[in-house]
Amino acid sequence: EQLARMREIYEIHHDEHHGQFADDLNIHPEPGHEISKDHVPVMQVEGKRARVRVPFTIERHHWVELIYVRDQYRRIFTGIRFLHEEAAVFTFNIPETVTHMTLYAVCHLHGVWRSHTFERKRGAGEDGMDIW
């Protein structure tokens, strides 16, 4: 099921952007633009689970189509497609092999938005857990 979901995300994004992925696209508007604070995906981590969300209000004519996550090799290792007017929140287990994560969100009006890259620091938390 996970592999089928990744294939669907790849095909949707690949087709919609004429064979290019977010790393190959100009992501507009540039970071720091007024609407970037509402479109760049954010992440919270608890233990081995991550929660990603896009912090803008979903409206009838404005929503997030897709969230996906790339690892240190730029491979998409997880993601989800959203239905129209569905809240853009996604929770997943972080694979042990992942050391870096970059989050992507696709807004149907404003295109692709990328977070900074999060780096895993193994055992660096006060409780000995990994931090990001």
Side-chain angles (χ1 to χ4, degrees):
E1 182 177 307
Q2 179 76 4
L3 181 59
R5 184 169 34 157
M6 291 301 92
R7 187 169 289 129
E8 177 188 23
I9 288 168
Y10 178 85
E11 289 170 359
I12 291 165
H13 197 101
H14 192 265
D15 291 345
E16 289 178 358
H17 296 284
H18 310 288
Q20 294 180 311
F21 255 95
D23 285 350
D24 304 318
L25 297 171
N26 290 323
I27 299 176
H28 294 291
E30 295 298 320
H33 186 278
E34 182 180 320
I35 67 171
S36 67
K37 67 181 181 290
D38 295 335
H39 284 71
V40 174
V42 296
M43 180 175 71
Q44 294 174 304
V45 176
E46 287 189 30
K48 297 179 182 187
R49 293 192 51 82
R51 181 178 184 262
V52 176
R53 67 182 179 85
V54 178
F56 77 82
T57 303
I58 305 299
E59 299 173 358
R60 184 174 180 193
H61 300 290
H62 189 200
W63 70 93
V64 173
E65 294 180 292
L66 189 64
I67 291 176
Y68 61 96
V69 185
R70 288 185 180 267
D71 67 10
Q72 63 273 17
Y73 303 109
R74 297 184 55 228
R75 291 183 302 215
I76 298 171
F77 71 89
T78 193
I80 189 168
R81 183 177 187 190
F82 297 100
L83 301 175
H84 181 78
E85 297 186 34
E86 187 175 12
V89 178
F90 175 49
T91 302
F92 61 93
N93 292 324
I94 304 168
E96 281 297 319
T97 57
V98 171
T99 61
H100 293 75
M101 291 190 285
T102 306
L103 318 172
Y104 294 82
V106 181
C107 170
H108 89 289
L109 283 180
H110 301 112
V112 181
W113 296 81
R114 179 179 56 216
S115 73
H116 70 278
T117 298
F118 296 88
E119 181 180 359
R120 174 180 272 177
K121 295 177 179 73
R122 295 199 185 271
E126 290 180 19
D127 55 2
M129 295 293 292
D130 297 348
I131 60 171
W132 290 87

